[in-house]
Amino acid sequence: MINYLTKSRQGQFLVIGILFTALGFIFMSINDSYSAGLFYAAIFFLGFYAAKDAVIETIRDKSPNVDLLMILAAVGAVIINYESEGAALLLIFATSEALEDYANNKSTSAISELMAQVPETAQVLKGNGEVVTVPTEELEIGDTVVVTKGAQIPIDGIIDRKAVVNEAALTGEAIPVEKNQKDEVFAGTINEGDVFHLEVTKSNDETVFSNIIRMVEEAQSRPSRISKFIDRIESKYVISVLIIVPIFIFVLYSVMAIPFEEAFYRGMVFLTVASPCALVASATPATLSAISNGAKNGVLFKGGAAMEALSTMDTLYTDKTGTLTYGEFKVDDYSIPDTVLKEIIYMEQQSSHPIARAIVSAFKEIDLSAVNHEEAINEIAGSGIQKGRIRVGKPKAFSDYEQYDHFQKYFQKGNTIILAAKDNEVVGYFSLSDQIRTQSAEAVANFQKEGIKVTLLTGDNEEVTANVAKIVGVDHYRASMLPEQKIDYVLQSQSKEEVVGMIGDGINDAPALANADIGIAMGSGSSVAMESSDVVVVKNDLSKLFYSYKLSKRLNTIIFQNVVFSISVIVTLIVLNLFGVLGLPLAVLFHEGSTILVILNGLRLIGSKPGKEEVDTSYRSVKA
């Protein structure tokens, strides 16, 4: 706040205005002529930016705003020689505006904190062996960057050797991750191993971190539903007040025979107390504070509407792999002819799916020189991939193939099973295991405690799904699902007037995320999933999502409190003015004071920490 008052021109004008106002009241008891001049100076400095905004926005939007009412009230006070009241009015109004700007600046500090996690410069290796320092934003795709031990990685890219990387900034996992040659690493993470070279694969504005920053910026420019509603009625309300005030003065003067000066004075009081300053400030500062709080805790909301809506959720659908589980598979067992195995390894190299990566990693030493590299590889949506006569994928896709029944005995082990076929015959299988995320059971239990139905929707087999559902404790589950079937579940719930949330991380989850009322993507998931969602859990910690759910409930409570309080103050002050028992100083104090209280109430969300539910999670580290 001190930085705002001393470094911004608007803050400096406020400080000067406060000084002139204070001197004006001091000189009132000494010499009224001096005090009047001081109050005029105060009104200029305190009202300059409000008047500027009122004129510019009224012309640009072709409709008056709340600033215009305040300026007119101050001008009216000056006309009838109430300079001190005019200065006091603008003093408190300018202070409330400064507080609102402070709230906005606090919310945007989340962007600065995120940007600070990425180095501003990078060490680039040139063709002649020279290493030069360049700004990160000037890095180009194909550049070779030297990343020393302990250094932050400045940009996304592929490494040239084995490395140990701490990805806590992105995933929340404190344990460093081992990376192999040609693996991708991300900006903002830390090299905890030996020096390595990184080939830049994305421009500075395409990295995972830059996408996160962009989403926070976009969120702050997308108002909540109640903010949009208040914005829509603001101009109509202001026009109504501007019409009513002259009528009010006329009635007092002509009908009730009140002297014109007193009638005009009460008209200025009416103009002041009827202004919806507190109402306008009821939602936006609180919503921006909540979005900022969420960003600092690893959950990004793409706008106020998503933050508001989360607390209204009735049903939560969740994917399994990469969501409830880590999506870091390993091959536990397999049986497959060698020639078919080589074909499959080559096929899986073309896929970014976690299962494909696990299979490739398990057989990375295999010789693929005899494989036909010219033959096309085709993805079969939701079930697997195919190359010529060879096909690999989910068991459900092979139910009418020969020898399918022979391999069913492997389905009972509780692992994820992938079948391989040649022509029309199943010839082998892979058995893979995954690990359940430590926070999944806790988050599911907390959501269910709040009365939200949680259902697991996955393309995995029945045995694995049942095992995960039991461990995590979901209400219901559905296995062997295609992407379009997930959409059907979302639409069915919506047809029952339910507010539906959907959590996922893969490309196949994107359609369901886009159709849900609240799409929730995991930060480690595909870019398509993140683009299709309304909420991104950056650090893959579902307990953070529940934290944001509680934060959303607090946001809606605070907005409700602010709206009721601001309307009550306006109505009360109008009634007091109608009875002629409210002077302009008290009107200014109560009206603008209520605006300040509303803003401060919203600012509480910046640092608030909703209480964490106690749930028994001793059973969480179990294989999926």
Side-chain angles (χ1 to χ4, degrees):
M1 191 66 179
I2 294 174
N3 284 339
Y4 171 82
L5 293 175
T6 56
K7 294 183 178 180
S8 75
R9 181 61 61 86
Q10 193 166 350
Q12 291 167 356
F13 270 39
L14 173 59
V15 172
I16 295 170
I18 291 172
L19 179 62
F20 276 120
T21 304
L23 290 173
F25 280 109
I26 291 171
F27 274 89
M28 277 184 75
S29 58
I30 302 173
N31 190 317
D32 282 347
S33 60
Y34 287 124
S35 66
L38 291 167
F39 285 132
Y40 286 139
I43 287 170
F44 171 80
F45 284 103
L46 294 171
F48 179 82
Y49 281 99
K52 180 181 174 183
D53 292 342
V55 172
I56 292 174
E57 291 179 19
T58 298
I59 294 172
R60 184 189 64 202
D61 301 334
K62 297 179 181 178
S63 61
N65 62 12
V66 67
D67 290 0
L68 185 62
L69 294 184
M70 291 294 97
I71 294 301
L72 290 176
V75 170
V78 171
I79 290 172
I80 56 174
N81 299 318
Y82 282 86
E83 298 89 356
S84 59
E85 282 85 346
L89 166 62
L90 291 179
L91 170 62
I92 303 179
F93 179 69
T95 302
S96 68
E97 290 283 289
L99 271 174
E100 190 162 1
D101 285 342
Y102 173 72
N104 293 344
N105 292 336
K106 284 289 286 184
S107 68
T108 55
S109 67
I111 297 175
S112 301
E113 290 173 14
L114 285 170
M115 294 181 73
Q117 296 188 53
V118 179
E120 294 181 355
T121 60
Q123 307 298 311
V124 177
L125 178 65
K126 297 296 184 180
N128 59 3
E130 181 185 4
V131 177
V132 297
T133 301
V134 302
T136 302
E137 60 188 23
E138 293 181 9
L139 290 173
E140 297 179 355
I141 294 173
D143 282 348
T144 299
V145 175
V146 179
V147 183
T148 57
K149 183 173 183 177
Q152 273 190 312
I153 297 171
I155 200 163
D156 293 5
I158 294 173
I159 58 177
D160 68 334
R161 68 199 73 177
K162 286 188 175 182
V164 179
V165 178
N166 187 327
E167 297 184 333
L170 284 178
T171 65
E173 300 298 329
I175 300 174
V177 178
E178 291 189 3
K179 298 281 186 176
N180 295 313
Q181 184 182 10
K182 298 295 183 184
D183 279 354
E184 187 175 20
V185 293
F186 306 102
T189 57
I190 299 172
N191 175 22
E192 294 197 352
D194 296 326
V195 62
F196 61 77
H197 293 169
L198 173 154
E199 180 186 342
V200 178
T201 57
K202 294 177 183 175
S203 60
N204 188 53
D205 60 351
E206 294 176 335
T207 65
V208 172
F209 248 110
S210 66
N211 284 333
I212 289 170
I213 293 168
R214 175 176 53 78
M215 282 187 277
V216 175
E217 289 175 329
E218 289 176 354
Q220 293 171 341
S221 65
R222 293 175 180 169
S224 63
R225 284 176 295 181
I226 191 164
S227 294
K228 286 192 284 188
F229 174 75
I230 291 172
D231 288 342
R232 282 199 305 271
I233 68 169
E234 180 183 351
S235 62
K236 296 181 178 64
Y237 184 96
V238 170
I239 291 171
S240 300
V241 171
L242 291 174
I243 293 171
I244 291 171
V245 167
I247 296 172
F248 178 69
I249 294 172
F250 177 79
V251 170
L252 292 179
Y253 177 67
S254 300
V255 179
M256 302 180 68
I258 293 175
F260 179 77
E261 184 173 322
E262 184 181 344
F264 191 86
Y265 178 83
R266 286 173 61 180
M268 293 305 98
V269 173
F270 188 95
L271 188 62
T272 302
V273 299
S275 175
C277 297
L279 184 61
V280 169
S282 293
T284 301
T287 302
L288 291 177
S289 298
I291 289 174
S292 175
N293 188 319
K296 286 190 291 186
N297 283 281
V299 180
L300 305 182
F301 287 85
K302 296 183 182 179
M307 172 61 86
E308 263 183 33
L310 185 61
S311 66
T312 67
M313 188 166 57
D314 301 305
T315 297
L316 179 60
Y317 291 116
T318 176
D319 180 43
K320 179 182 73 70
T321 304
T323 303
L324 296 181
T325 68
Y326 284 101
E328 297 173 359
F329 289 90
K330 67 173 184 173
V331 177
D332 286 345
D333 190 20
Y334 75 100
S335 176
I336 197 164
D338 189 56
T339 54
V340 176
L341 177 62
K342 291 179 179 180
E343 291 284 352
I344 289 172
I345 301 308
Y346 174 72
M347 292 160 62
E348 298 289 17
Q349 284 180 346
Q350 320 307 314
S351 173
S352 60
H353 193 281
I355 289 178
R357 292 200 302 266
I359 293 174
V360 171
S361 178
F363 301 96
K364 55 179 176 284
E365 306 299 332
I366 199 167
D367 181 12
L368 303 179
S369 59
V371 174
N372 181 359
H373 294 188
E374 302 299 324
E375 198 168 25
I377 299 172
N378 300 309
E379 183 174 348
I380 304 165
S383 63
I385 54 177
Q386 184 168 351
K387 175 177 178 283
R389 299 159 59 195
I390 308 296
R391 183 175 178 181
V392 60
K394 298 176 181 178
K396 187 178 180 180
F398 301 90
S399 58
D400 58 348
Y401 278 48
E402 295 176 13
Q403 297 299 315
Y404 174 78
D405 293 341
H406 171 73
F407 287 90
Q408 280 189 301
K409 60 187 177 184
Y410 299 109
F411 299 175
Q412 312 303 319
K413 294 184 177 181
N415 273 8
T416 296
I417 302 298
I418 298 297
L419 295 183
K422 185 174 182 179
D423 294 323
N424 199 42
E425 180 183 355
V426 179
V427 296
Y429 76 96
F430 297 95
S431 177
L432 302 98
S433 62
D434 192 3
Q435 296 290 319
I436 291 175
R437 290 189 185 276
T438 55
Q439 310 90 354
S440 297
E442 179 180 3
V444 167
N446 285 337
F447 276 117
Q448 290 176 159
K449 188 182 291 185
E450 294 289 326
I452 297 170
K453 294 178 290 185
V454 183
T455 300
L456 169 59
L457 305 178
T458 178
D460 214 334
N461 66 60
E462 176 74 21
E463 289 73 20
V464 172
T465 305
N467 187 38
V468 172
K470 181 179 179 181
I471 294 168
V472 176
V474 295
D475 293 322
H476 309 284
Y477 70 86
R478 293 291 182 272
S480 304
M481 299 198 73
L482 297 173
E484 55 267 29
Q485 291 174 313
K486 292 184 179 182
I487 297 175
D488 289 340
Y489 267 83
V490 170
L491 296 178
Q492 285 172 20
S493 293
Q494 289 173 331
S495 68
K496 300 173 186 173
E497 303 299 321
E498 295 178 355
V499 177
V500 178
M502 172 72 198
I503 312 176
D505 76 319
I507 294 173
N508 61 325
D509 297 316
L513 292 174
N515 278 276
D517 298 294
I518 308 159
I520 304 158
M522 303 298 279
S524 62
S526 69
S527 59
V528 176
M530 285 193 276
E531 289 294 335
S532 303
S533 66
D534 305 296
V535 182
V536 178
V537 183
V538 179
K539 297 187 176 182
N540 304 320
D541 184 347
L542 288 180
S543 68
K544 297 294 186 183
L545 181 63
F546 184 74
Y547 171 94
S548 295
Y549 169 82
K550 300 292 283 186
L551 187 65
S552 173
K553 295 191 79 168
R554 286 204 66 197
L555 169 64
N556 289 337
T557 298
I558 283 177
I559 290 176
F560 178 78
Q561 290 171 347
N562 286 347
V563 169
V564 171
F565 175 70
S566 58
I567 291 175
S568 300
V569 169
I570 290 172
V571 171
T572 302
L573 295 179
I574 287 175
V575 170
L576 291 174
N577 186 40
L578 289 175
F579 285 98
V581 295
L582 185 67
L584 190 54
L586 282 178
V588 170
L589 179 63
F590 286 123
H591 182 266
E592 293 306 317
S594 68
T595 304
I596 292 173
L597 288 176
V598 160
I599 294 170
L600 291 175
N601 195 35
L603 279 174
R604 290 192 299 133
L605 287 171
I606 285 182
S608 69
K609 293 185 177 181
K612 191 174 183 181
E613 303 293 329
E614 295 297 325
V615 180
D616 180 14
T617 56
S618 58
Y619 49 77
R620 291 179 296 182
S621 299
V622 185
K623 269 187 184 181

